[in-house]
Amino acid sequence: MKIRTLIALLAFTLLVSCNKDKEILNTLNNYNLSMEATGYHFGDKLDLPKEVTDNAESISISFGDKETSKLIVDPKFFTLGDNAVTFVIRKKGGETLNQDATINVFAKNPEAVLNYEIIKEYPHDPKNFVQGFQIEGNTIYESDGQLGESRILKYTLGSTTPLAETRQPENVFSEGCTIIGDKIYQLTWQNKKGFVYDKNSLKLLSEFPYPNVMGEGWGLTYDGKDLVASDGTKNLYFLDAADPSKMKRYISVAGSSEVYDSINELEYHNSFIYANVWQKPIILKIDPATGEVVGKFDFSAIAKENTKDETNDVLNGIAFKGDNMLVTGKLWSKIYEVAIK
């Protein structure tokens, strides 16, 4: 009788403990879900519910390969945008509970509205599926995509006749490009490699593999030290210009209330990165140190004139002619020169 009573008591204790664990995890999950839309900023403290903290000996946050016991949004551990984490709750009785969560981190300051004025229009070949867009002097260097049609070419601004071009193999879909000295670097979409050309002749000189962290190749620019690449996510990757297969660091792009995914064509100018967002008529101005979006251009009016198919002929082309910006898009018939106000 005593043994049965003891077994029943143990079973009851275990049931109560399990129910308590579920209650703790449910409370934490509800808190995390409620904070996803609101998000955090760097320096914020995670104010976890008492139901969780009162039953914990310690709480830490795991990022897979690193862990912190400080419940503060520290840029040493968190990036802007969505952070996939696991809360590790060590109870006072010695048990450990785990709870997966997404913690969104946003920029503290709202993005500035950046205004512009169209001051000139130039012709652009409407057959060109623009993926990369550069200007040096009065020469446009352009990377065009699509399987069987991909190429790198250059032409004089105001003309649509190529001065030189190099076509890609049928299985290559070309993406972003940028200039470093007397060479042009060009990405490919899903071939996991890039090309290096002589800038004058556009003769192919060499190839390079991407770092594995990049799933695809989208946009490319050069900040004077590193190549900066996008892969269609929220991330920008800083690659060693001497060996682009090596990633030096990365940042994630977010504003004060939004994570910007599908970062596409890139341009570096006066210490900021400018980026198209695929299929959206906007250009972001990004702090390359943090990924914070400090300003945003709305090119809806220009895009409306040129975009008949919102999946293809979209805004995608940024270059700087002095302090003025050149803007174009896939299959557009015009290049716009705009003065930034």
Side-chain angles (χ1 to χ4, degrees), residues 13-14 17 20-21 24 52-59 89-97:
T13 302
L14 181 61
S17 177
K20 187 65 176 178
D21 289 350
I24 292 170
V52 177
T53 57
D54 286 352
N55 288 280
E57 182 72 31
S58 68
I59 301 173
I89 303 167
R90 296 174 178 87
K91 294 176 61 182
K92 294 176 180 178
E95 306 97 327
T96 298
L97 305 178

Side-chain angles (χ1 to χ4, degrees), residues 98-202:
N98 294 316
Q99 175 73 64
D100 293 334
T102 298
I103 294 179
N104 288 323
V105 182
F106 299 123
K108 284 189 175 181
N109 301 311
E111 302 91 313
V113 176
L114 303 177
N115 297 309
Y116 62 91
E117 177 186 2
I118 299 173
I119 61 172
K120 198 167 183 179
E121 297 179 6
Y122 305 91
H124 181 258
D125 191 334
K127 297 189 297 295
N128 291 5
F129 197 80
V130 180
Q131 301 291 78
F133 191 67
Q134 292 278 293
I135 187 169
E136 189 174 85
N138 207 38
T139 303
I140 297 288
Y141 296 82
E142 189 173 294
S143 173
D144 293 340
Q146 301 285 42
L147 294 174
E149 300 177 14
S150 290
R151 60 180 177 162
I152 188 84
L153 70 153
K154 67 177 184 178
Y155 54 89
T156 302
L157 181 63
S159 170
T160 60
T161 303
L163 300 170
E165 68 174 286
T166 296
R167 292 191 172 271
Q168 306 298 351
E170 294 288 315
N171 67 334
V172 170
F173 193 121
S174 294
E175 286 281 348
C177 68
T178 195
I179 298 170
I180 303 181
D182 60 355
K183 296 180 176 64
I184 297 179
Y185 291 70
Q186 180 192 42
L187 297 181
T188 61
W189 180 29
Q190 294 181 322
N191 299 85
K192 296 292 288 184
K193 66 179 179 181
F195 300 109
V196 183
Y197 304 89
D198 175 77
K199 185 177 68 177
N200 294 319
S201 66
L202 298 188

Side-chain angles (χ1 to χ4, degrees), residues 275-292:
N276 284 120
V277 178
W278 185 50
Q279 297 183 334
K280 291 187 178 180
I282 60 174
I283 291 178
L284 308 177
K285 183 179 181 181
I286 303 165
D287 183 339
T290 62
E292 178 180 351

